[in-house]
Amino acid sequence: MRTPETTRALWQIHLCVLLWGFTAILGKLISLPALPLVWWRMLIVVAVLALLPRVWRGLRMMPAGIRWAYAGIGVLVALHWLTFYGAIKLSNASVAATCIAFATPMTALVEPLLTRQRFRPTDLLLGLAALPGIWLVVGGVPAGMHAGILSGVVSALLVALFGSLNKRMVDAGDPLTVTALELGAGTLTLTVLAPLMPLLVPAFAGPLLVLPSAQDGLWLVLLALACTLLPFALCLVALRHLSAFTAQLSINLEPVYAIVLAAVLFGEQQELAPRFYGGVAIILGVVFAQGLLAGRRPPAHAEQAAVSEAHRLTE
């Protein structure tokens, strides 16, 4: 029987997923290139977390080896966000959100290697079942957006990697401390990469130390606080009253929300052929089928919150 606490938790988790869906929308609205966009997002979150005594206590209590491990994961988180927002800039929000849906079947293949769990043949079959959807998605976008698809697929692979690693270390630190440590390491990584980015991936490059415009600044604050910290905190509360299975199915709605929002706000459906949405339907069908078959396995999310965005992050 559903209790009032469970009902409230369901509303909370869906609000979290909706807010995560807005990350792609805000990425489209912010005029900054991918690199400074992600750098400012991470910097704002880290600055807020640095104000919490709990974060510093957690850092003092954490062994040095664990801190370095989380810092390494933070590098993957930074590269994930960089390629995700790069995908938005190179294509659009709908394409980037669809590519992130690839993270679920990718995680099924990567996680057993990183967490030493038993490999499930059904996961491989589901991954193969997604291939027709990928083919339709690629064929349903203009040729000029193919670079965005490539960037989005790399972003999804990075989600699978850092989500699996976070899961392996899920009990090694306080969630807020882990988030601050990973995003802090990610911020430093992007700072080091900034001078090289014009040579590595010119499409992502941009100056870090130039203040954003007032409008971009507003969107960045919303992205950092309303779409990162707030859903992170809400998700931690909601998961106390929900099974991992229920949470996983809810989290799988994130690409759906993002695509619908992009169609309503930007009219992106006019840029994409019907076969794109046919491919999206196949990919999301695989994602939900995997959620049903996974049963009680812990959820892993597109953003893992950075980071255990428990990912929650688990995301």
Side-chain angles (χ1 to χ4, degrees):
M1 180 181 296
R2 182 178 295 180
T3 65
E5 290 80 9
T6 301
T7 300
R8 183 168 57 252
L10 282 170
W11 282 105
Q12 289 171 335
I13 198 73
H14 279 289
L15 176 59
C16 291
V17 175
L18 177 61
L19 291 172
W20 284 319
F22 267 104
T23 61
I25 302 305
L26 290 172
K28 182 80 171 180
L29 290 172
I30 296 170
S31 64
L32 297 175
L35 180 65
L37 188 162
V38 176
W39 188 80
W40 280 106
R41 178 188 184 182
M42 300 181 96
L43 183 65
I44 292 169
V45 174
V46 171
V48 172
L49 290 175
L51 300 176
L52 304 179
R54 168 181 169 179
V55 169
W56 295 102
R57 287 196 300 269
L59 281 174
R60 288 194 296 268
M61 295 172 60
M62 189 180 292
I66 299 297
R67 288 200 295 267
W68 280 109
Y70 278 127
I73 295 173
V75 173
L76 297 178
V77 173
L79 295 177
H80 153 61
W81 276 347
L82 180 63
T83 49
F84 174 68
Y85 288 105
I88 293 174
K89 302 300 181 180
L90 291 170
S91 54
N92 60 32
S94 297
V95 170
T98 299
C99 290
I100 287 300
F102 300 161
T104 297
M106 285 182 176
T107 299
L109 300 176
V110 169
E111 187 178 45
L113 300 176
L114 297 180
T115 61
R116 298 170 185 167
Q117 293 183 354
R118 182 174 60 86
F119 178 76
R120 297 171 176 82
T122 53
D123 290 335
L124 176 59
L125 293 176
L126 285 170
L128 294 174
L131 292 179
I134 296 172
W135 178 76
L136 287 173
V137 164
V138 173
V141 304
M145 292 187 179
H146 287 176
I149 292 178
L150 177 60
S151 181
V153 170
V154 172
S155 183
L157 176 59
L158 290 165
V159 168
L161 290 172
F162 83 78
S164 298
L165 291 171
N166 265 330
K167 180 179 175 181
R168 183 172 179 175
M169 300 181 62
V170 68
D171 297 321
D174 169 73
L176 288 180
T177 300
V178 170
T179 300
L181 182 56
E182 291 188 3
L183 296 195
T187 304
L188 290 175
T189 298
L190 295 183
T191 303
V192 172
L193 282 178
L196 303 175
M197 196 55 61
L199 299 175
L200 298 174
V201 190
F204 295 176
L208 299 184
L209 300 180
V210 176
L211 286 177
S213 66
Q215 180 172 285
D216 279 347
L218 173 62
W219 296 139
L220 282 166
V221 170
L222 286 174
L223 180 62
L225 302 184
C227 296
T228 304
L229 279 182
L230 175 59
F232 171 72
L234 272 179
C235 194
L236 290 178
V237 172
L239 287 178
R240 296 173 185 171
H241 304 286
L242 296 177
S243 68
F245 174 63
T246 300
Q248 177 68 77
L249 290 183
S250 300
I251 287 168
N252 286 343
L253 288 170
E254 180 184 344
V256 178
Y257 289 156
I259 291 170
V260 171
L261 287 169
V264 172
L265 297 176
F266 304 132
E268 288 188 355
Q269 74 279 4
Q270 300 176 19
E271 303 174 356
L272 306 168
R275 63 187 302 182
F276 169 84
Y277 292 100
V280 170
I282 292 174
I283 293 168
L284 292 179
V286 169
V287 168
F288 279 94
Q290 191 162 40
L292 291 169
L293 292 174
R296 301 292 170 177
R297 274 187 268 167
H301 167 68
E303 290 225 35
Q304 264 179 7
V307 195
S308 228
E309 232 187 33
H311 330 170
R312 49 195 172 46
L313 147 153
T314 116
E315 91 77 290

